[in-house]
Amino acid sequence: VAPLARAASASNARGANATATAPPRILRAAAALKSSSSAENRGASLATRGTRREMEELAGLGGDFGARDATAGELESNFNAKSIGEADTEHMLQIPRKVEEFTALHLRACVAVEAGEPPIEETQKLVYQKQVADWKIRIVDAHEVLRREFATGGDKAKAAEVVTRLEAVAEEEAQTIASFVEGPGVRIELHTAAVNGLHANDFVLAAKLDKVDLGDVTVKKKPNVFLV
């Protein structure tokens, strides 16, 4: 036992001497590591004892640091009507209804266009197209058009009914549409001749046409043969 005790004493002495002669930067690093370890131990100790009262107050109702269940008051306010999505989906804030009155294209009216006016600006065109995503911008006879295809399963009578309903909406806005009954459905194209391209009116009309109920004369499944 005595030899072992002498060996341990000698080892401790060498450790103490090494610490005493270590460069200052090593001593500072060792002190920082010891402090970090102590902080982690204190955090673990707090976790086992539970959340402190002041931390609960900082975190909000119930001391919840993340997602939480809605309160009774929130449920009564129908707060979820302002968002889109379910519990397991990404949520987006809906456009407030008062704002929608100014931004929704289908609520606007087409305006008179003078010959020689410039087409719609590129940036504005991209903004408007987001509201009429089913309409694609295509080049026809060296000018842009908005195009959408409606599948009718090759039924000519239903295709004619689609054109009739859409033309009625266009006439109410003093606009015209180009319709082509071909293949599995109908191709509709919009553009403003006065500007030799696309005008805001075309996007407004497209948004209004999207609101037309065509469920009884169109098929939801995309056709195997795509219209060009």
Side-chain angles (χ1 to χ4, degrees), residues 134-149:
D134 290 331
W135 295 80
K136 309 305 179 185
I137 298 176
R138 298 289 184 261
I139 303 295
V140 175
D141 296 333
H143 63 261
E144 289 184 328
V145 302
L146 279 179
R147 175 185 294 171
R148 182 179 175 184
E149 297 154 359

Side-chain angles (χ1 to χ4, degrees), residues 123-167:
T123 54
Q124 192 64 56
K125 177 172 58 179
L126 296 177
V127 171
Y128 285 166
Q129 192 180 18
K130 292 180 180 179
Q131 292 195 40
V132 290
D134 290 331
W135 295 80
K136 309 305 179 185
I137 298 176
R138 298 289 184 261
I139 303 295
V140 175
D141 296 333
H143 63 261
E144 289 184 328
V145 302
L146 279 179
R147 175 185 294 171
R148 182 179 175 184
E149 297 154 359
F150 298 86
T152 61
D155 190 316
K156 301 296 183 182
K158 290 183 177 180
E161 179 61 22
V162 169
V163 174
T164 299
R165 296 183 191 181
L166 298 183
E167 284 182 341

Side-chain angles (χ1 to χ4, degrees), residues 158-196:
K158 290 183 177 180
E161 179 61 22
V162 169
V163 174
T164 299
R165 296 183 191 181
L166 298 183
E167 284 182 341
V169 175
E171 288 177 2
E172 292 179 359
E173 295 294 323
Q175 303 295 308
T176 59
I177 65 175
S179 59
F180 307 88
V181 178
E182 55 188 14
V186 183
R187 184 175 86 244
I188 302 296
E189 292 180 355
L190 309 176
H191 86 284
T192 301
V195 303
N196 193 33

Side-chain angles (χ1 to χ4, degrees), residues 37-83:
S37 177
S38 299
E40 290 179 358
N41 292 335
R42 288 195 299 271
S45 178
L46 285 175
T48 58
R49 292 200 302 269
T51 306
R52 291 177 296 171
R53 178 65 180 176
E54 57 266 33
M55 293 302 293
E56 289 187 355
E57 293 176 352
L58 285 174
L61 298 176
D64 195 339
F65 297 165
R68 60 175 172 77
D69 293 335
T71 65
E74 289 172 335
L75 292 174
E76 291 176 0
S77 70
N78 197 27
F79 78 103
N80 196 48
K82 300 178 181 178
S83 64

